[in-house]
Amino acid sequence: SDLVLVLSSASIPNDGSQTALATVTALDSNRNAVAGVPVTIRVDQGGIATPSGTVTSSAGTLSAEIGIGADSSNRTITVTATSGGISRTANLEVRDPVIGGGTGPTIAVSLSSSVVTPLAPVTVTIAARSANGSPLAGVVVGLSTARGNLATLAQSSVLTDASGVATTTLNA
């Protein structure tokens, strides 16, 4: 016998706008799904689990919606599925919502010109933003060029300022 626990997402936003679906499949010794198996789904860290029932369906599965509860802090919620003496866990990350549909913090790079010549170096501006769009100060950003023989950077890494911005020079 075994349980397989799968989450529909590895993370959910801390604003409560989304939940994750935890699906548990009960398996026999031949790895076939088994109906009617009692399963409990629990969460920690203030999360909320809303199960679809207390035993596996005819397909051998039981699901639960997992939400953040009243706690909007960033954290890891551990989801635990238990049946008899078997327990399986999965981690669900609760984090800042992502603006614009991305997946997390972003780095934007802009150039003062698209043409670099020996007489006209280009200023490279780097802007670091958190998942919710706030500036990220004090971030070290590593830099490199794919064409090091044609253009070189004045620095191989820069540190963002209080506005989440750093600059360097690209020379030909």
Side-chain angles (χ1 to χ4, degrees):
S1 297
D2 196 6
L3 294 176
V4 175
L5 172 60
V6 177
L7 298 178
S8 63
S9 176
S11 66
I12 56 175
N14 65 10
D15 63 1
S17 64
Q18 297 175 20
T19 59
L21 184 67
T23 303
V24 182
T25 305
L27 302 173
D28 65 17
S29 59
N30 293 318
R31 308 292 294 167
N32 296 311
V34 181
V37 175
V39 176
T40 303
I41 298 176
R42 295 184 333 261
V43 294
D44 65 1
Q45 297 295 321
I48 295 178
T50 307
S52 59
T54 58
V55 297
T56 57
S57 67
S58 59
T61 62
L62 176 76
S63 296
E65 288 289 332
I66 310 299
I68 66 165
D71 182 355
S72 62
S73 67
N74 291 345
R75 64 195 187 281
T76 301
I77 294 175
T78 301
V79 181
T80 305
T82 305
S83 180
I86 301 170
S87 287
R88 298 290 178 255
T89 62
N91 289 331
L92 179 63
E93 297 298 322
V94 179
R95 58 185 184 198
D96 292 331
V98 177
I99 303 235
T103 57
T106 59
I107 299 288
V109 178
S110 62
L111 305 174
S112 61
S113 172
S114 60
V115 178
V116 180
T117 69
L119 296 176
V122 171
T123 299
V124 179
T125 303
I126 299 97
R129 300 279 180 256
S130 70
N132 67 7
S134 300
L136 290 174
V139 173
V140 175
V141 179
L143 305 169
S144 65
T145 62
R147 303 281 187 143
N149 58 333
L150 298 176
T152 58
L153 289 159
Q155 298 162 280
S156 61
S157 65
V158 291
L159 182 67
T160 60
D161 62 18
S163 300
V165 176
T167 59
T168 191
T169 304
L170 182 65
N171 299 295

